[in-house]
Each structure stands twice: as structure tokens, then as C-alpha cells.
Amino acid sequence: LPRLPGVHLVIVARGNSVVVDLQKLAGRLGVGERVHVAPYVDPDLVPLYIASASVGVISLLRAPNHDIAITNKFCEYIAAGLPIVTSDTPAQAELVGQLGLGAVYPAGDASGFADAVRDVLGRRVELHRRIVDDFDLRHRFSWRAQADKVRSIYEELLGSLPDQAWDDAALHIDDLLGRWSA
């Protein structure tokens, strides 16, 4: 943030020691007034909750799991129509580049991060429109599409699934838990 005058960071998180440490660091760096913590919301509400942001940030450091994973927030940012700034963790970096979703920076590189954020902010309207107008992209990374894949894999392995698994209500975790625990 010291390299990004006027930019605000909103962290959606529970108050915990990591968040407190980040807020203290922001204060020491003179950017404390530009760091905000917002509470969690129900998963179904996340895209609407974050849609007013300018950019979605995924600042993972390189690690085996990070290198192969696509985070939930990646999918949530696409659902919200947000351009993405991600570190160079291969799975997400490759998608951001191939699909024209934003910019990639070297993990842990503050200058590279600031450059990527400036780049995406400069193209924000174009990137937002590209994401919002691409129904196939948004569907590909939707919970519904992922659930369909998982159900198909389980059906292939098990031979069949109960009818409830294919019910639209099975996409809602509360409904699903209620059905299977009863």
C-alpha cells in the first residue's frame, strides 16, 4: 500500500492475530487508514458482497498446494466480475494469463505486486466488462459447474448416486447437510 497511494485494501476475515498484526503493520507503514476489515457473509452472498471492489487480490506465496490449487476466492472474484491480481502460483497465474482476467506478479515481490495492481486498475473497466460478458467463463468457475463435475466423478466411481444428489437443493450446503444427516 505505501507504493499505491489512494488505494484501499479490504480484508474479508474474522478478527484474529494475523489480521491484528496486518493492521499494526499498516499503521507502522502509514497506511492504516486505508486498511479495512469486513466480516464474513454467507457463501451465497460473497459475489454480491465483493462486487463493488475494483480488483480481487490473491497474494499466495509459492508452496506445493498453492502452486496447484485454484482458490475459492478466484471463483468468487469471477462471479463478482472482478479483475484479478494474483501471485505467480502456476495454476492461477496460467488461468489469469490465458483467460485475460488481470495480472500476475512474482510471489512476495511488493514492487511487482504494486505494478500489477496499477496495471489492472488502469484496465479495470475493460477487464470487468470482459469477465461479466463471458457467460461461459463465469459458468465454468461457478459452484454449479464444479458440483456437476464432482457429482459426475462420484457417479462414475460408484455407479450411481441417490436422486437427491442431482436435486438443485443439493447445491446449498445447509440443504445438503440436512438431507444427509437426517
Side-chain angles (χ1 to χ4, degrees), residues 141-177:
F141 292 99
S142 70
W143 171 241
R144 177 173 297 282
Q146 300 309 307
D148 288 345
K149 279 184 190 176
V150 169
R151 289 186 290 209
S152 293
I153 291 168
Y154 274 105
E155 186 170 54
E156 185 178 316
L157 293 171
L158 300 173
S160 67
L161 291 176
D163 290 341
Q164 297 98 323
W166 298 100
D167 189 309
D168 275 346
L171 293 175
H172 300 284
I173 192 70
D174 292 337
D175 295 339
L176 182 63
L177 291 175

PDB file of all heavy atoms in Angstrom, residues 141-177:
ATOM      1  N   PHE A 141     -16.455 -21.443 -13.741  1.00  0.00           N
ATOM      2  CA  PHE A 141     -15.914 -21.313 -12.389  1.00  0.00           C
ATOM      3  C   PHE A 141     -17.007 -21.165 -11.325  1.00  0.00           C
ATOM      4  O   PHE A 141     -16.723 -20.783 -10.198  1.00  0.00           O
ATOM      5  CB  PHE A 141     -14.926 -20.145 -12.331  1.00  0.00           C
ATOM      6  CG  PHE A 141     -13.682 -20.422 -13.127  1.00  0.00           C
ATOM      7  CD1 PHE A 141     -13.533 -19.915 -14.401  1.00  0.00           C
ATOM      8  CD2 PHE A 141     -12.682 -21.239 -12.618  1.00  0.00           C
ATOM      9  CE1 PHE A 141     -12.401 -20.193 -15.158  1.00  0.00           C
ATOM     10  CE2 PHE A 141     -11.551 -21.526 -13.361  1.00  0.00           C
ATOM     11  CZ  PHE A 141     -11.411 -21.008 -14.629  1.00  0.00           C
ATOM     12  N   SER A 142     -18.241 -21.499 -11.694  1.00  0.00           N
ATOM     13  CA  SER A 142     -19.354 -21.395 -10.748  1.00  0.00           C
ATOM     14  C   SER A 142     -19.432 -22.633  -9.856  1.00  0.00           C
ATOM     15  O   SER A 142     -18.935 -23.707 -10.204  1.00  0.00           O
ATOM     16  CB  SER A 142     -20.678 -21.234 -11.497  1.00  0.00           C
ATOM     17  OG  SER A 142     -21.022 -22.458 -12.156  1.00  0.00           O
ATOM     18  N   TRP A 143     -20.089 -22.468  -8.722  1.00  0.00           N
ATOM     19  CA  TRP A 143     -20.306 -23.598  -7.821  1.00  0.00           C
ATOM     20  C   TRP A 143     -21.119 -24.677  -8.544  1.00  0.00           C
ATOM     21  O   TRP A 143     -20.852 -25.864  -8.408  1.00  0.00           O
ATOM     22  CB  TRP A 143     -21.006 -23.124  -6.556  1.00  0.00           C
ATOM     23  CG  TRP A 143     -21.460 -24.262  -5.688  1.00  0.00           C
ATOM     24  CD1 TRP A 143     -22.736 -24.551  -5.320  1.00  0.00           C
ATOM     25  CD2 TRP A 143     -20.653 -25.277  -5.089  1.00  0.00           C
ATOM     26  NE1 TRP A 143     -22.769 -25.674  -4.536  1.00  0.00           N
ATOM     27  CE2 TRP A 143     -21.488 -26.142  -4.379  1.00  0.00           C
ATOM     28  CE3 TRP A 143     -19.280 -25.552  -5.087  1.00  0.00           C
ATOM     29  CZ2 TRP A 143     -21.036 -27.256  -3.674  1.00  0.00           C
ATOM     30  CZ3 TRP A 143     -18.818 -26.663  -4.391  1.00  0.00           C
ATOM     31  CH2 TRP A 143     -19.698 -27.489  -3.697  1.00  0.00           C
ATOM     32  N   ARG A 144     -22.102 -24.281  -9.319  1.00  0.00           N
ATOM     33  CA  ARG A 144     -22.940 -25.253 -10.029  1.00  0.00           C
ATOM     34  C   ARG A 144     -22.085 -26.126 -10.953  1.00  0.00           C
ATOM     35  O   ARG A 144     -22.216 -27.356 -10.961  1.00  0.00           O
ATOM     36  CB  ARG A 144     -24.038 -24.564 -10.818  1.00  0.00           C
ATOM     37  CG  ARG A 144     -24.884 -25.545 -11.641  1.00  0.00           C
ATOM     38  CD  ARG A 144     -26.067 -24.883 -12.293  1.00  0.00           C
ATOM     39  NE  ARG A 144     -27.004 -24.342 -11.327  1.00  0.00           N
ATOM     40  CZ  ARG A 144     -27.887 -25.066 -10.637  1.00  0.00           C
ATOM     41  NH1 ARG A 144     -27.939 -26.364 -10.790  1.00  0.00           N
ATOM     42  NH2 ARG A 144     -28.708 -24.488  -9.803  1.00  0.00           N
ATOM     43  N   ALA A 145     -21.219 -25.532 -11.733  1.00  0.00           N
ATOM     44  CA  ALA A 145     -20.376 -26.300 -12.660  1.00  0.00           C
ATOM     45  C   ALA A 145     -19.441 -27.227 -11.893  1.00  0.00           C
ATOM     46  O   ALA A 145     -19.239 -28.379 -12.295  1.00  0.00           O
ATOM     47  CB  ALA A 145     -19.578 -25.358 -13.563  1.00  0.00           C
ATOM     48  N   GLN A 146     -18.878 -26.738 -10.792  1.00  0.00           N
ATOM     49  CA  GLN A 146     -17.982 -27.578 -10.001  1.00  0.00           C
ATOM     50  C   GLN A 146     -18.749 -28.736  -9.360  1.00  0.00           C
ATOM     51  O   GLN A 146     -18.265 -29.868  -9.319  1.00  0.00           O
ATOM     52  CB  GLN A 146     -17.271 -26.745  -8.930  1.00  0.00           C
ATOM     53  CG  GLN A 146     -16.425 -25.620  -9.497  1.00  0.00           C
ATOM     54  CD  GLN A 146     -15.460 -26.083 -10.574  1.00  0.00           C
ATOM     55  OE1 GLN A 146     -14.688 -27.007 -10.364  1.00  0.00           O
ATOM     56  NE2 GLN A 146     -15.501 -25.444 -11.733  1.00  0.00           N
ATOM     57  N   ALA A 147     -19.949 -28.452  -8.861  1.00  0.00           N
ATOM     58  CA  ALA A 147     -20.764 -29.505  -8.255  1.00  0.00           C
ATOM     59  C   ALA A 147     -21.126 -30.565  -9.291  1.00  0.00           C
ATOM     60  O   ALA A 147     -21.094 -31.768  -8.998  1.00  0.00           O
ATOM     61  CB  ALA A 147     -22.020 -28.902  -7.639  1.00  0.00           C
ATOM     62  N   ASP A 148     -21.451 -30.141 -10.507  1.00  0.00           N
ATOM     63  CA  ASP A 148     -21.770 -31.101 -11.567  1.00  0.00           C
ATOM     64  C   ASP A 148     -20.577 -32.014 -11.855  1.00  0.00           C
ATOM     65  O   ASP A 148     -20.736 -33.222 -12.038  1.00  0.00           O
ATOM     66  CB  ASP A 148     -22.205 -30.385 -12.843  1.00  0.00           C
ATOM     67  CG  ASP A 148     -23.591 -29.768 -12.724  1.00  0.00           C
ATOM     68  OD1 ASP A 148     -24.336 -30.114 -11.780  1.00  0.00           O
ATOM     69  OD2 ASP A 148     -23.925 -28.927 -13.594  1.00  0.00           O
ATOM     70  N   LYS A 149     -19.366 -31.440 -11.885  1.00  0.00           N
ATOM     71  CA  LYS A 149     -18.165 -32.254 -12.110  1.00  0.00           C
ATOM     72  C   LYS A 149     -17.966 -33.275 -10.989  1.00  0.00           C
ATOM     73  O   LYS A 149     -17.697 -34.445 -11.244  1.00  0.00           O
ATOM     74  CB  LYS A 149     -16.918 -31.365 -12.188  1.00  0.00           C
ATOM     75  CG  LYS A 149     -16.684 -30.717 -13.502  1.00  0.00           C
ATOM     76  CD  LYS A 149     -15.368 -29.953 -13.463  1.00  0.00           C
ATOM     77  CE  LYS A 149     -15.213 -29.101 -14.688  1.00  0.00           C
ATOM     78  NZ  LYS A 149     -13.996 -28.284 -14.637  1.00  0.00           N
ATOM     79  N   VAL A 150     -18.077 -32.798  -9.762  1.00  0.00           N
ATOM     80  CA  VAL A 150     -17.861 -33.688  -8.611  1.00  0.00           C
ATOM     81  C   VAL A 150     -18.896 -34.808  -8.612  1.00  0.00           C
ATOM     82  O   VAL A 150     -18.559 -35.985  -8.421  1.00  0.00           O
ATOM     83  CB  VAL A 150     -17.889 -32.889  -7.284  1.00  0.00           C
ATOM     84  CG1 VAL A 150     -17.943 -33.810  -6.080  1.00  0.00           C
ATOM     85  CG2 VAL A 150     -16.689 -31.956  -7.210  1.00  0.00           C
ATOM     86  N   ARG A 151     -20.161 -34.449  -8.855  1.00  0.00           N
ATOM     87  CA  ARG A 151     -21.203 -35.484  -8.869  1.00  0.00           C
ATOM     88  C   ARG A 151     -20.946 -36.493  -9.985  1.00  0.00           C
ATOM     89  O   ARG A 151     -21.116 -37.694  -9.789  1.00  0.00           O
ATOM     90  CB  ARG A 151     -22.577 -34.845  -9.021  1.00  0.00           C
ATOM     91  CG  ARG A 151     -23.014 -34.093  -7.773  1.00  0.00           C
ATOM     92  CD  ARG A 151     -24.414 -33.583  -7.874  1.00  0.00           C
ATOM     93  NE  ARG A 151     -24.502 -32.499  -8.838  1.00  0.00           N
ATOM     94  CZ  ARG A 151     -25.397 -31.516  -8.772  1.00  0.00           C
ATOM     95  NH1 ARG A 151     -26.293 -31.503  -7.786  1.00  0.00           N
ATOM     96  NH2 ARG A 151     -25.419 -30.577  -9.668  1.00  0.00           N
ATOM     97  N   SER A 152     -20.520 -36.035 -11.141  1.00  0.00           N
ATOM     98  CA  SER A 152     -20.240 -36.944 -12.257  1.00  0.00           C
ATOM     99  C   SER A 152     -19.091 -37.897 -11.920  1.00  0.00           C
ATOM    100  O   SER A 152     -19.144 -39.090 -12.251  1.00  0.00           O
ATOM    101  CB  SER A 152     -19.905 -36.151 -13.522  1.00  0.00           C
ATOM    102  OG  SER A 152     -21.036 -35.444 -13.955  1.00  0.00           O
ATOM    103  N   ILE A 153     -18.061 -37.386 -11.272  1.00  0.00           N
ATOM    104  CA  ILE A 153     -16.933 -38.239 -10.878  1.00  0.00           C
ATOM    105  C   ILE A 153     -17.401 -39.298  -9.884  1.00  0.00           C
ATOM    106  O   ILE A 153     -17.083 -40.481 -10.021  1.00  0.00           O
ATOM    107  CB  ILE A 153     -15.777 -37.394 -10.299  1.00  0.00           C
ATOM    108  CG1 ILE A 153     -15.141 -36.559 -11.419  1.00  0.00           C
ATOM    109  CG2 ILE A 153     -14.740 -38.282  -9.613  1.00  0.00           C
ATOM    110  CD1 ILE A 153     -14.196 -35.473 -10.918  1.00  0.00           C
ATOM    111  N   TYR A 154     -18.175 -38.883  -8.882  1.00  0.00           N
ATOM    112  CA  TYR A 154     -18.679 -39.842  -7.903  1.00  0.00           C
ATOM    113  C   TYR A 154     -19.590 -40.870  -8.568  1.00  0.00           C
ATOM    114  O   TYR A 154     -19.543 -42.058  -8.255  1.00  0.00           O
ATOM    115  CB  TYR A 154     -19.406 -39.140  -6.750  1.00  0.00           C
ATOM    116  CG  TYR A 154     -18.474 -38.708  -5.653  1.00  0.00           C
ATOM    117  CD1 TYR A 154     -18.117 -37.375  -5.509  1.00  0.00           C
ATOM    118  CD2 TYR A 154     -17.949 -39.636  -4.764  1.00  0.00           C
ATOM    119  CE1 TYR A 154     -17.247 -36.976  -4.505  1.00  0.00           C
ATOM    120  CE2 TYR A 154     -17.088 -39.248  -3.757  1.00  0.00           C
ATOM    121  CZ  TYR A 154     -16.738 -37.919  -3.634  1.00  0.00           C
ATOM    122  OH  TYR A 154     -15.886 -37.537  -2.640  1.00  0.00           O
ATOM    123  N   GLU A 155     -20.402 -40.419  -9.488  1.00  0.00           N
ATOM    124  CA  GLU A 155     -21.299 -41.356 -10.174  1.00  0.00           C
ATOM    125  C   GLU A 155     -20.493 -42.372 -10.994  1.00  0.00           C
ATOM    126  O   GLU A 155     -20.801 -43.564 -11.017  1.00  0.00           O
ATOM    127  CB  GLU A 155     -22.284 -40.607 -11.063  1.00  0.00           C
ATOM    128  CG  GLU A 155     -23.329 -41.520 -11.674  1.00  0.00           C
ATOM    129  CD  GLU A 155     -24.428 -40.748 -12.359  1.00  0.00           C
ATOM    130  OE1 GLU A 155     -24.094 -39.916 -13.221  1.00  0.00           O
ATOM    131  OE2 GLU A 155     -25.602 -40.998 -12.036  1.00  0.00           O
ATOM    132  N   GLU A 156     -19.437 -41.898 -11.640  1.00  0.00           N
ATOM    133  CA  GLU A 156     -18.579 -42.801 -12.415  1.00  0.00           C
ATOM    134  C   GLU A 156     -17.921 -43.833 -11.499  1.00  0.00           C
ATOM    135  O   GLU A 156     -17.817 -45.005 -11.834  1.00  0.00           O
ATOM    136  CB  GLU A 156     -17.519 -41.978 -13.153  1.00  0.00           C
ATOM    137  CG  GLU A 156     -16.645 -42.780 -14.087  1.00  0.00           C
ATOM    138  CD  GLU A 156     -15.652 -41.888 -14.819  1.00  0.00           C
ATOM    139  OE1 GLU A 156     -16.061 -40.802 -15.300  1.00  0.00           O
ATOM    140  OE2 GLU A 156     -14.476 -42.278 -14.890  1.00  0.00           O
ATOM    141  N   LEU A 157     -17.471 -43.390 -10.339  1.00  0.00           N
ATOM    142  CA  LEU A 157     -16.809 -44.295  -9.403  1.00  0.00           C
ATOM    143  C   LEU A 157     -17.776 -45.255  -8.710  1.00  0.00           C
ATOM    144  O   LEU A 157     -17.458 -46.420  -8.506  1.00  0.00           O
ATOM    145  CB  LEU A 157     -16.052 -43.496  -8.336  1.00  0.00           C
ATOM    146  CG  LEU A 157     -14.855 -42.692  -8.821  1.00  0.00           C
ATOM    147  CD1 LEU A 157     -14.358 -41.782  -7.710  1.00  0.00           C
ATOM    148  CD2 LEU A 157     -13.746 -43.624  -9.300  1.00  0.00           C
ATOM    149  N   LEU A 158     -18.949 -44.750  -8.348  1.00  0.00           N
ATOM    150  CA  LEU A 158     -19.888 -45.539  -7.561  1.00  0.00           C
ATOM    151  C   LEU A 158     -20.951 -46.242  -8.394  1.00  0.00           C
ATOM    152  O   LEU A 158     -21.664 -47.099  -7.883  1.00  0.00           O
ATOM    153  CB  LEU A 158     -20.581 -44.645  -6.518  1.00  0.00           C
ATOM    154  CG  LEU A 158     -19.656 -43.962  -5.520  1.00  0.00           C
ATOM    155  CD1 LEU A 158     -20.442 -42.976  -4.670  1.00  0.00           C
ATOM    156  CD2 LEU A 158     -18.945 -44.992  -4.655  1.00  0.00           C
ATOM    157  N   GLY A 159     -21.096 -45.842  -9.635  1.00  0.00           N
ATOM    158  CA  GLY A 159     -22.119 -46.428 -10.486  1.00  0.00           C
ATOM    159  C   GLY A 159     -23.406 -45.630 -10.494  1.00  0.00           C
ATOM    160  O   GLY A 159     -24.067 -45.520 -11.510  1.00  0.00           O
ATOM    161  N   SER A 160     -23.788 -45.072  -9.371  1.00  0.00           N
ATOM    162  CA  SER A 160     -24.975 -44.210  -9.316  1.00  0.00           C
ATOM    163  C   SER A 160     -24.941 -43.420  -8.011  1.00  0.00           C
ATOM    164  O   SER A 160     -24.229 -43.769  -7.081  1.00  0.00           O
ATOM    165  CB  SER A 160     -26.258 -45.039  -9.402  1.00  0.00           C
ATOM    166  OG  SER A 160     -26.398 -45.833  -8.243  1.00  0.00           O
ATOM    167  N   LEU A 161     -25.736 -42.378  -8.010  1.00  0.00           N
ATOM    168  CA  LEU A 161     -25.889 -41.555  -6.809  1.00  0.00           C
ATOM    169  C   LEU A 161     -27.367 -41.473  -6.482  1.00  0.00           C
ATOM    170  O   LEU A 161     -28.214 -41.617  -7.371  1.00  0.00           O
ATOM    171  CB  LEU A 161     -25.356 -40.139  -7.056  1.00  0.00           C
ATOM    172  CG  LEU A 161     -23.856 -39.973  -7.226  1.00  0.00           C
ATOM    173  CD1 LEU A 161     -23.521 -38.524  -7.567  1.00  0.00           C
ATOM    174  CD2 LEU A 161     -23.107 -40.394  -5.970  1.00  0.00           C
ATOM    175  N   PRO A 162     -27.699 -41.210  -5.233  1.00  0.00           N
ATOM    176  CA  PRO A 162     -29.115 -41.030  -4.891  1.00  0.00           C
ATOM    177  C   PRO A 162     -29.698 -39.851  -5.674  1.00  0.00           C
ATOM    178  O   PRO A 162     -28.982 -38.898  -6.019  1.00  0.00           O
ATOM    179  CB  PRO A 162     -29.099 -40.721  -3.391  1.00  0.00           C
ATOM    180  CG  PRO A 162     -27.726 -40.999  -2.921  1.00  0.00           C
ATOM    181  CD  PRO A 162     -26.819 -41.032  -4.097  1.00  0.00           C
ATOM    182  N   ASP A 163     -30.972 -39.890  -5.944  1.00  0.00           N
ATOM    183  CA  ASP A 163     -31.633 -38.811  -6.688  1.00  0.00           C
ATOM    184  C   ASP A 163     -31.399 -37.448  -6.041  1.00  0.00           C
ATOM    185  O   ASP A 163     -31.257 -36.437  -6.727  1.00  0.00           O
ATOM    186  CB  ASP A 163     -33.140 -39.067  -6.786  1.00  0.00           C
ATOM    187  CG  ASP A 163     -33.466 -40.232  -7.704  1.00  0.00           C
ATOM    188  OD1 ASP A 163     -32.598 -40.602  -8.535  1.00  0.00           O
ATOM    189  OD2 ASP A 163     -34.584 -40.757  -7.594  1.00  0.00           O
ATOM    190  N   GLN A 164     -31.304 -37.421  -4.709  1.00  0.00           N
ATOM    191  CA  GLN A 164     -31.106 -36.148  -4.000  1.00  0.00           C
ATOM    192  C   GLN A 164     -29.797 -35.458  -4.420  1.00  0.00           C
ATOM    193  O   GLN A 164     -29.698 -34.243  -4.359  1.00  0.00           O
ATOM    194  CB  GLN A 164     -31.073 -36.356  -2.482  1.00  0.00           C
ATOM    195  CG  GLN A 164     -32.339 -36.886  -1.900  1.00  0.00           C
ATOM    196  CD  GLN A 164     -32.249 -38.397  -1.712  1.00  0.00           C
ATOM    197  OE1 GLN A 164     -31.661 -39.110  -2.527  1.00  0.00           O
ATOM    198  NE2 GLN A 164     -32.859 -38.896  -0.644  1.00  0.00           N
ATOM    199  N   ALA A 165     -28.811 -36.236  -4.814  1.00  0.00           N
ATOM    200  CA  ALA A 165     -27.528 -35.642  -5.203  1.00  0.00           C
ATOM    201  C   ALA A 165     -27.676 -34.765  -6.437  1.00  0.00           C
ATOM    202  O   ALA A 165     -26.884 -33.846  -6.644  1.00  0.00           O
ATOM    203  CB  ALA A 165     -26.502 -36.738  -5.466  1.00  0.00           C
ATOM    204  N   TRP A 166     -28.666 -35.032  -7.279  1.00  0.00           N
ATOM    205  CA  TRP A 166     -28.862 -34.278  -8.520  1.00  0.00           C
ATOM    206  C   TRP A 166     -29.901 -33.181  -8.367  1.00  0.00           C
ATOM    207  O   TRP A 166     -30.114 -32.384  -9.269  1.00  0.00           O
ATOM    208  CB  TRP A 166     -29.240 -35.225  -9.653  1.00  0.00           C
ATOM    209  CG  TRP A 166     -28.137 -36.204  -9.899  1.00  0.00           C
ATOM    210  CD1 TRP A 166     -28.065 -37.492  -9.480  1.00  0.00           C
ATOM    211  CD2 TRP A 166     -26.906 -35.935 -10.570  1.00  0.00           C
ATOM    212  NE1 TRP A 166     -26.880 -38.055  -9.852  1.00  0.00           N
ATOM    213  CE2 TRP A 166     -26.140 -37.125 -10.525  1.00  0.00           C
ATOM    214  CE3 TRP A 166     -26.366 -34.816 -11.203  1.00  0.00           C
ATOM    215  CZ2 TRP A 166     -24.870 -37.216 -11.097  1.00  0.00           C
ATOM    216  CZ3 TRP A 166     -25.111 -34.915 -11.773  1.00  0.00           C
ATOM    217  CH2 TRP A 166     -24.375 -36.101 -11.707  1.00  0.00           C
ATOM    218  N   ASP A 167     -30.526 -33.110  -7.210  1.00  0.00           N
ATOM    219  CA  ASP A 167     -31.527 -32.085  -6.938  1.00  0.00           C
ATOM    220  C   ASP A 167     -30.828 -30.728  -6.818  1.00  0.00           C
ATOM    221  O   ASP A 167     -29.744 -30.631  -6.257  1.00  0.00           O
ATOM    222  CB  ASP A 167     -32.245 -32.440  -5.625  1.00  0.00           C
ATOM    223  CG  ASP A 167     -33.443 -31.565  -5.344  1.00  0.00           C
ATOM    224  OD1 ASP A 167     -33.300 -30.333  -5.390  1.00  0.00           O
ATOM    225  OD2 ASP A 167     -34.514 -32.123  -5.065  1.00  0.00           O
ATOM    226  N   ASP A 168     -31.440 -29.674  -7.346  1.00  0.00           N
ATOM    227  CA  ASP A 168     -30.848 -28.335  -7.239  1.00  0.00           C
ATOM    228  C   ASP A 168     -30.577 -27.937  -5.789  1.00  0.00           C
ATOM    229  O   ASP A 168     -29.640 -27.204  -5.505  1.00  0.00           O
ATOM    230  CB  ASP A 168     -31.746 -27.285  -7.888  1.00  0.00           C
ATOM    231  CG  ASP A 168     -31.518 -27.173  -9.380  1.00  0.00           C
ATOM    232  OD1 ASP A 168     -30.499 -27.706  -9.875  1.00  0.00           O
ATOM    233  OD2 ASP A 168     -32.350 -26.541 -10.061  1.00  0.00           O
ATOM    234  N   ALA A 169     -31.396 -28.440  -4.880  1.00  0.00           N
ATOM    235  CA  ALA A 169     -31.199 -28.104  -3.461  1.00  0.00           C
ATOM    236  C   ALA A 169     -29.868 -28.638  -2.939  1.00  0.00           C
ATOM    237  O   ALA A 169     -29.344 -28.127  -1.955  1.00  0.00           O
ATOM    238  CB  ALA A 169     -32.351 -28.641  -2.623  1.00  0.00           C
ATOM    239  N   ALA A 170     -29.306 -29.638  -3.608  1.00  0.00           N
ATOM    240  CA  ALA A 170     -28.032 -30.200  -3.160  1.00  0.00           C
ATOM    241  C   ALA A 170     -26.889 -29.211  -3.338  1.00  0.00           C
ATOM    242  O   ALA A 170     -25.805 -29.423  -2.804  1.00  0.00           O
ATOM    243  CB  ALA A 170     -27.725 -31.493  -3.920  1.00  0.00           C
ATOM    244  N   LEU A 171     -27.118 -28.131  -4.062  1.00  0.00           N
ATOM    245  CA  LEU A 171     -26.089 -27.107  -4.236  1.00  0.00           C
ATOM    246  C   LEU A 171     -25.990 -26.177  -3.036  1.00  0.00           C
ATOM    247  O   LEU A 171     -25.066 -25.381  -2.939  1.00  0.00           O
ATOM    248  CB  LEU A 171     -26.358 -26.278  -5.493  1.00  0.00           C
ATOM    249  CG  LEU A 171     -26.217 -27.031  -6.806  1.00  0.00           C
ATOM    250  CD1 LEU A 171     -26.624 -26.142  -7.959  1.00  0.00           C
ATOM    251  CD2 LEU A 171     -24.808 -27.541  -6.992  1.00  0.00           C
ATOM    252  N   HIS A 172     -26.938 -26.247  -2.137  1.00  0.00           N
ATOM    253  CA  HIS A 172     -26.934 -25.398  -0.946  1.00  0.00           C
ATOM    254  C   HIS A 172     -26.488 -26.231   0.233  1.00  0.00           C
ATOM    255  O   HIS A 172     -27.132 -27.206   0.593  1.00  0.00           O
ATOM    256  CB  HIS A 172     -28.321 -24.789  -0.706  1.00  0.00           C
ATOM    257  CG  HIS A 172     -28.773 -23.957  -1.857  1.00  0.00           C
ATOM    258  ND1 HIS A 172     -28.270 -22.697  -2.080  1.00  0.00           N
ATOM    259  CD2 HIS A 172     -29.618 -24.219  -2.880  1.00  0.00           C
ATOM    260  CE1 HIS A 172     -28.808 -22.209  -3.187  1.00  0.00           C
ATOM    261  NE2 HIS A 172     -29.624 -23.115  -3.687  1.00  0.00           N
ATOM    262  N   ILE A 173     -25.400 -25.836   0.846  1.00  0.00           N
ATOM    263  CA  ILE A 173     -24.769 -26.646   1.885  1.00  0.00           C
ATOM    264  C   ILE A 173     -25.717 -26.936   3.048  1.00  0.00           C
ATOM    265  O   ILE A 173     -25.741 -28.049   3.553  1.00  0.00           O
ATOM    266  CB  ILE A 173     -23.431 -26.005   2.368  1.00  0.00           C
ATOM    267  CG1 ILE A 173     -22.648 -26.993   3.224  1.00  0.00           C
ATOM    268  CG2 ILE A 173     -23.677 -24.728   3.114  1.00  0.00           C
ATOM    269  CD1 ILE A 173     -22.070 -28.142   2.489  1.00  0.00           C
ATOM    270  N   ASP A 174     -26.532 -25.972   3.457  1.00  0.00           N
ATOM    271  CA  ASP A 174     -27.458 -26.224   4.562  1.00  0.00           C
ATOM    272  C   ASP A 174     -28.451 -27.317   4.179  1.00  0.00           C
ATOM    273  O   ASP A 174     -28.737 -28.209   4.967  1.00  0.00           O
ATOM    274  CB  ASP A 174     -28.216 -24.951   4.953  1.00  0.00           C
ATOM    275  CG  ASP A 174     -27.302 -23.912   5.573  1.00  0.00           C
ATOM    276  OD1 ASP A 174     -26.237 -24.302   6.099  1.00  0.00           O
ATOM    277  OD2 ASP A 174     -27.639 -22.722   5.529  1.00  0.00           O
ATOM    278  N   ASP A 175     -28.982 -27.245   2.953  1.00  0.00           N
ATOM    279  CA  ASP A 175     -29.924 -28.262   2.494  1.00  0.00           C
ATOM    280  C   ASP A 175     -29.236 -29.616   2.415  1.00  0.00           C
ATOM    281  O   ASP A 175     -29.782 -30.634   2.812  1.00  0.00           O
ATOM    282  CB  ASP A 175     -30.487 -27.912   1.101  1.00  0.00           C
ATOM    283  CG  ASP A 175     -31.329 -26.654   1.123  1.00  0.00           C
ATOM    284  OD1 ASP A 175     -31.817 -26.283   2.208  1.00  0.00           O
ATOM    285  OD2 ASP A 175     -31.491 -26.042   0.060  1.00  0.00           O
ATOM    286  N   LEU A 176     -28.030 -29.629   1.891  1.00  0.00           N
ATOM    287  CA  LEU A 176     -27.298 -30.876   1.723  1.00  0.00           C
ATOM    288  C   LEU A 176     -27.011 -31.526   3.070  1.00  0.00           C
ATOM    289  O   LEU A 176     -27.241 -32.713   3.258  1.00  0.00           O
ATOM    290  CB  LEU A 176     -25.984 -30.619   0.977  1.00  0.00           C
ATOM    291  CG  LEU A 176     -25.119 -31.832   0.675  1.00  0.00           C
ATOM    292  CD1 LEU A 176     -25.848 -32.786  -0.254  1.00  0.00           C
ATOM    293  CD2 LEU A 176     -23.812 -31.392   0.051  1.00  0.00           C
ATOM    294  N   LEU A 177     -26.540 -30.751   4.020  1.00  0.00           N
ATOM    295  CA  LEU A 177     -26.237 -31.300   5.343  1.00  0.00           C
ATOM    296  C   LEU A 177     -27.496 -31.837   6.017  1.00  0.00           C
ATOM    297  O   LEU A 177     -27.476 -32.894   6.634  1.00  0.00           O
ATOM    298  CB  LEU A 177     -25.561 -30.261   6.225  1.00  0.00           C
ATOM    299  CG  LEU A 177     -24.146 -29.876   5.805  1.00  0.00           C
ATOM    300  CD1 LEU A 177     -23.626 -28.738   6.684  1.00  0.00           C
ATOM    301  CD2 LEU A 177     -23.201 -31.054   5.871  1.00  0.00           C
TER     302      LEU A 177
END
